[in-house]
Amino acid sequence: MNQPITVKDKQFILSISNSEIQNSIQKVADEINRDYEGKEIFFIGVLNGVFMYAADLLKKITVPCQISFTKVASYEGTHSTGKVKQLIGLPEDIAGRNVVILEDIVDTGFTMKEILRQLEGLHPADIKIATLLFKPNSFKESYKVDYRAMEIPNAFIVGYGLDYDGYGRNLPDIYTVVN
Ligand code: 5GP
């Protein structure tokens, strides 16, 4: 039985080991390498949580590719729509490129919907999504999440780049909160 670990003020238990993570990333890389054979990919990583996944996935990509990073800034909107999400540090020129968005986790899907909307405005040839983690029971949108390395239940996780209040990103494995 694995002992819980403490991150800041909460307890978490091991749920996905680094070797399982690497195996599922390899499967996604194989799919991407097959789908983009003869083409080039422009990856856009969504910071901060994506840094470990982006580094490990890119080492497994064999087609010609480039990568750039963006960040989603959330702030309270002036209208009743609540939080506004805006992309900062957008890549310069993605017009006509085959873009693959790299995200650590797609939960309700709202954040990715906004990212897609803003990137589509830059007229790439094509946009696909490659998320490390996907919560199918939480997803509320209708767009396609093309590549999903792992599907997980609706519980809060940390590790492998994902944080709890800024902590836990350094953990090589993924842990689930103990309620
Ligand atoms: P969405 O807009 O899809 O509901 O949420 C996406 C964002 O919420 C992710 O980019 C991530 O920052 C955060 N998030 C969602 N679920 C989790 C989780 O289980 N753990 C952590 N650390 N962040 C999460």
Side-chain angles (χ1 to χ4, degrees):
M1 179 67 191
N2 286 310
Q3 288 300 313
I5 61 158
T6 302
V7 177
K8 202 185 172 199
D9 55 4
K10 282 196 195 301
Q11 294 210 302
F12 293 82
I13 46 162
L14 181 65
S15 57
I16 312 172
S17 70
N18 190 268
S19 65
E20 288 175 79
I21 296 170
Q22 297 302 331
N23 287 340
S24 28
I25 294 177
Q26 185 64 59
K27 286 190 188 134
V28 164
D30 292 344
E31 278 183 69
I32 293 176
N33 289 329
R34 197 180 54 231
D35 293 351
Y36 287 85
E37 203 182 328
K39 295 183 187 167
E40 284 192 15
I41 305 173
F42 193 98
F43 288 105
I44 299 178
V46 184
L47 292 171
N48 292 328
V50 83
F51 71 97
M52 284 204 191
Y53 168 50
D56 285 340
L57 178 76
L58 267 274
K59 285 179 259 181
K60 297 170 173 49
I61 295 296
T62 52
V63 298
C65 65
Q66 296 178 319
I67 185 164
S68 180
F69 293 90
T70 186
K71 192 165 179 167
V72 181
S74 297
Y75 56 92
E76 295 295 332
T78 49
H79 301 290
S80 55
T81 47
K83 285 249 191 317
V84 175
K85 292 181 185 282
Q86 194 190 353
L87 287 184
I88 53 174
L90 268 176
E92 314 75 54
D93 190 10
I94 59 164
R97 310 292 303 268
N98 298 310
V99 167
V100 175
I101 305 171
L102 301 181
E103 172 70 296
D104 52 355
I105 185 163
V106 175
D107 185 351
T108 63
F110 177 68
T111 305
M112 183 56 74
K113 186 182 174 186
E114 283 301 301
I115 293 169
L116 279 171
R117 193 180 60 76
Q118 290 175 49
L119 291 180
E120 272 158 7
L122 301 175
H123 311 294
D126 174 51
I127 305 187
K128 286 193 179 178
I129 300 164
T131 186
L132 175 70
L133 296 151
F134 183 65
K135 290 183 178 171
N137 299 328
S138 180
F139 190 63
K140 290 186 179 58
E141 300 296 336
S142 53
Y143 57 81
K144 189 171 173 213
V145 180
D146 307 272
Y147 306 102
R148 312 152 180 203
M150 293 173 287
E151 299 201 347
I152 57 166
N154 283 356
F156 187 78
I157 53 146
V158 292
Y160 194 71
L162 287 101
D163 74 308
Y164 164 49
D165 213 8
Y167 294 95
R169 295 193 195 275
N170 53 312
L171 297 163
D173 310 299
I174 291 175
Y175 293 79
T176 302
V177 73
V178 180
N179 290 308

mmCIF file of all heavy atoms in Angstrom, residues 103-111 135 155-158 162-163, ligand 1:
data_model
loop_
_atom_site.group_PDB
_atom_site.id
_atom_site.type_symbol
_atom_site.label_atom_id
_atom_site.label_comp_id
_atom_site.label_asym_id
_atom_site.label_seq_id
_atom_site.Cartn_x
_atom_site.Cartn_y
_atom_site.Cartn_z
ATOM 1 N N GLU A 103 -1.568 20.390 -24.266
ATOM 2 C CA GLU A 103 -2.145 20.864 -22.997
ATOM 3 C C GLU A 103 -1.968 19.750 -21.967
ATOM 4 O O GLU A 103 -2.006 18.565 -22.315
ATOM 5 C CB GLU A 103 -3.630 21.199 -23.243
ATOM 6 C CG GLU A 103 -4.470 21.529 -22.049
ATOM 7 C CD GLU A 103 -4.155 22.858 -21.378
ATOM 8 O OE1 GLU A 103 -3.033 22.987 -20.873
ATOM 9 O OE2 GLU A 103 -5.044 23.736 -21.329
ATOM 10 N N ASP A 104 -1.762 20.119 -20.700
ATOM 11 C CA ASP A 104 -1.602 19.087 -19.674
ATOM 12 C C ASP A 104 -2.907 18.356 -19.386
ATOM 13 O O ASP A 104 -2.935 17.140 -19.275
ATOM 14 C CB ASP A 104 -0.989 19.675 -18.386
ATOM 15 C CG ASP A 104 -1.732 20.912 -17.876
ATOM 16 O OD1 ASP A 104 -2.666 21.385 -18.553
ATOM 17 O OD2 ASP A 104 -1.368 21.414 -16.799
ATOM 18 N N ILE A 105 -4.002 19.118 -19.257
ATOM 19 C CA ILE A 105 -5.273 18.469 -18.894
ATOM 20 C C ILE A 105 -6.460 19.219 -19.490
ATOM 21 O O ILE A 105 -6.497 20.446 -19.476
ATOM 22 C CB ILE A 105 -5.395 18.316 -17.347
ATOM 23 C CG1 ILE A 105 -6.640 17.534 -16.956
ATOM 24 C CG2 ILE A 105 -5.334 19.642 -16.628
ATOM 25 C CD1 ILE A 105 -6.601 17.007 -15.530
ATOM 26 N N VAL A 106 -7.402 18.468 -20.037
ATOM 27 C CA VAL A 106 -8.680 19.034 -20.472
ATOM 28 C C VAL A 106 -9.732 18.481 -19.517
ATOM 29 O O VAL A 106 -9.931 17.273 -19.423
ATOM 30 C CB VAL A 106 -9.010 18.671 -21.940
ATOM 31 C CG1 VAL A 106 -10.397 19.172 -22.312
ATOM 32 C CG2 VAL A 106 -7.966 19.251 -22.898
ATOM 33 N N ASP A 107 -10.362 19.415 -18.804
ATOM 34 C CA ASP A 107 -11.327 19.049 -17.760
ATOM 35 C C ASP A 107 -12.734 19.348 -18.305
ATOM 36 O O ASP A 107 -13.290 18.547 -19.044
ATOM 37 C CB ASP A 107 -10.954 19.859 -16.508
ATOM 38 C CG ASP A 107 -11.769 19.521 -15.282
ATOM 39 O OD1 ASP A 107 -12.748 18.787 -15.388
ATOM 40 O OD2 ASP A 107 -11.420 20.002 -14.181
ATOM 41 N N THR A 108 -13.305 20.514 -18.026
ATOM 42 C CA THR A 108 -14.604 20.848 -18.630
ATOM 43 C C THR A 108 -14.445 21.143 -20.120
ATOM 44 O O THR A 108 -15.392 21.026 -20.892
ATOM 45 C CB THR A 108 -15.222 22.103 -17.980
ATOM 46 O OG1 THR A 108 -14.360 23.217 -18.233
ATOM 47 C CG2 THR A 108 -15.418 21.926 -16.485
ATOM 48 N N GLY A 109 -13.235 21.568 -20.508
ATOM 49 C CA GLY A 109 -12.984 21.893 -21.914
ATOM 50 C C GLY A 109 -13.120 23.368 -22.227
ATOM 51 O O GLY A 109 -12.861 23.800 -23.348
ATOM 52 N N PHE A 110 -13.511 24.152 -21.220
ATOM 53 C CA PHE A 110 -13.739 25.581 -21.471
ATOM 54 C C PHE A 110 -12.450 26.309 -21.870
ATOM 55 O O PHE A 110 -12.439 27.099 -22.818
ATOM 56 C CB PHE A 110 -14.376 26.228 -20.227
ATOM 57 C CG PHE A 110 -14.579 27.703 -20.378
ATOM 58 C CD1 PHE A 110 -15.521 28.193 -21.284
ATOM 59 C CD2 PHE A 110 -13.815 28.609 -19.660
ATOM 60 C CE1 PHE A 110 -15.695 29.566 -21.456
ATOM 61 C CE2 PHE A 110 -13.991 29.982 -19.820
ATOM 62 C CZ PHE A 110 -14.926 30.454 -20.722
ATOM 63 N N THR A 111 -11.357 26.019 -21.160
ATOM 64 C CA THR A 111 -10.090 26.695 -21.456
ATOM 65 C C THR A 111 -9.661 26.399 -22.897
ATOM 66 O O THR A 111 -9.289 27.305 -23.655
ATOM 67 C CB THR A 111 -8.987 26.218 -20.482
ATOM 68 O OG1 THR A 111 -9.456 26.417 -19.151
ATOM 69 C CG2 THR A 111 -7.691 26.979 -20.678
ATOM 70 N N LYS A 135 -10.560 14.326 -18.751
ATOM 71 C CA LYS A 135 -11.582 13.877 -17.796
ATOM 72 C C LYS A 135 -12.903 13.742 -18.555
ATOM 73 O O LYS A 135 -13.660 14.718 -18.674
ATOM 74 C CB LYS A 135 -11.718 14.891 -16.649
ATOM 75 C CG LYS A 135 -10.516 14.939 -15.704
ATOM 76 C CD LYS A 135 -10.768 15.927 -14.556
ATOM 77 C CE LYS A 135 -9.605 15.958 -13.591
ATOM 78 N NZ LYS A 135 -9.715 17.037 -12.588
ATOM 79 N N ALA A 155 -11.246 13.609 -10.368
ATOM 80 C CA ALA A 155 -10.645 13.922 -9.068
ATOM 81 C C ALA A 155 -9.442 14.819 -9.334
ATOM 82 O O ALA A 155 -8.838 14.748 -10.410
ATOM 83 C CB ALA A 155 -10.220 12.651 -8.359
ATOM 84 N N PHE A 156 -9.091 15.630 -8.350
ATOM 85 C CA PHE A 156 -7.994 16.581 -8.524
ATOM 86 C C PHE A 156 -6.647 15.863 -8.440
ATOM 87 O O PHE A 156 -6.405 15.074 -7.524
ATOM 88 C CB PHE A 156 -8.078 17.675 -7.452
ATOM 89 C CG PHE A 156 -7.089 18.775 -7.677
ATOM 90 C CD1 PHE A 156 -7.318 19.758 -8.628
ATOM 91 C CD2 PHE A 156 -5.903 18.810 -6.949
ATOM 92 C CE1 PHE A 156 -6.397 20.765 -8.853
ATOM 93 C CE2 PHE A 156 -4.970 19.820 -7.167
ATOM 94 C CZ PHE A 156 -5.224 20.795 -8.116
ATOM 95 N N ILE A 157 -5.784 16.130 -9.402
ATOM 96 C CA ILE A 157 -4.470 15.479 -9.438
ATOM 97 C C ILE A 157 -3.326 16.503 -9.425
ATOM 98 O O ILE A 157 -3.526 17.667 -9.812
ATOM 99 C CB ILE A 157 -4.339 14.577 -10.681
ATOM 100 C CG1 ILE A 157 -4.665 15.375 -11.953
ATOM 101 C CG2 ILE A 157 -5.242 13.365 -10.598
ATOM 102 C CD1 ILE A 157 -3.850 14.935 -13.096
ATOM 103 N N VAL A 158 -2.155 16.045 -8.998
ATOM 104 C CA VAL A 158 -0.933 16.872 -9.074
ATOM 105 C C VAL A 158 0.217 16.000 -9.564
ATOM 106 O O VAL A 158 0.149 14.777 -9.542
ATOM 107 C CB VAL A 158 -0.464 17.463 -7.718
ATOM 108 C CG1 VAL A 158 -1.410 18.486 -7.189
ATOM 109 C CG2 VAL A 158 -0.134 16.406 -6.690
ATOM 110 N N LEU A 162 1.756 19.267 -13.218
ATOM 111 C CA LEU A 162 0.502 19.860 -12.711
ATOM 112 C C LEU A 162 0.650 20.238 -11.244
ATOM 113 O O LEU A 162 1.296 19.517 -10.475
ATOM 114 C CB LEU A 162 -0.655 18.873 -12.870
ATOM 115 C CG LEU A 162 -1.111 18.693 -14.318
ATOM 116 C CD1 LEU A 162 -0.555 17.414 -14.889
ATOM 117 C CD2 LEU A 162 -2.626 18.690 -14.406
ATOM 118 N N ASP A 163 0.033 21.339 -10.854
ATOM 119 C CA ASP A 163 0.264 21.884 -9.510
ATOM 120 C C ASP A 163 -0.965 21.880 -8.634
ATOM 121 O O ASP A 163 -2.101 21.828 -9.105
ATOM 122 C CB ASP A 163 0.732 23.337 -9.634
ATOM 123 C CG ASP A 163 -0.409 24.273 -10.011
ATOM 124 O OD1 ASP A 163 -1.110 23.993 -11.008
ATOM 125 O OD2 ASP A 163 -0.624 25.273 -9.298
HETATM 126 P P1 5GP B 1 -11.054 23.302 -18.054
HETATM 127 O O1 5GP B 1 -11.169 24.690 -18.589
HETATM 128 O O2 5GP B 1 -10.900 22.231 -19.132
HETATM 129 O O3 5GP B 1 -12.172 22.951 -17.094
HETATM 130 O O4 5GP B 1 -9.797 23.270 -17.117
HETATM 131 C C1 5GP B 1 -8.546 23.235 -17.613
HETATM 132 C C2 5GP B 1 -7.530 23.739 -16.603
HETATM 133 O O5 5GP B 1 -7.920 23.482 -15.238
HETATM 134 C C3 5GP B 1 -6.244 23.013 -16.812
HETATM 135 O O6 5GP B 1 -5.437 23.672 -17.757
HETATM 136 C C4 5GP B 1 -5.657 22.984 -15.421
HETATM 137 O O7 5GP B 1 -4.925 24.177 -15.218
HETATM 138 C C5 5GP B 1 -6.838 22.990 -14.495
HETATM 139 N N1 5GP B 1 -7.179 21.646 -13.996
HETATM 140 C C6 5GP B 1 -8.269 20.916 -14.286
HETATM 141 N N2 5GP B 1 -8.279 19.747 -13.620
HETATM 142 C C7 5GP B 1 -7.138 19.735 -12.875
HETATM 143 C C8 5GP B 1 -6.559 18.780 -11.957
HETATM 144 O O8 5GP B 1 -7.088 17.693 -11.665
HETATM 145 N N3 5GP B 1 -5.357 19.126 -11.399
HETATM 146 C C9 5GP B 1 -4.728 20.300 -11.674
HETATM 147 N N4 5GP B 1 -3.555 20.507 -11.074
HETATM 148 N N5 5GP B 1 -5.242 21.225 -12.526
HETATM 149 C C10 5GP B 1 -6.431 20.932 -13.116
#
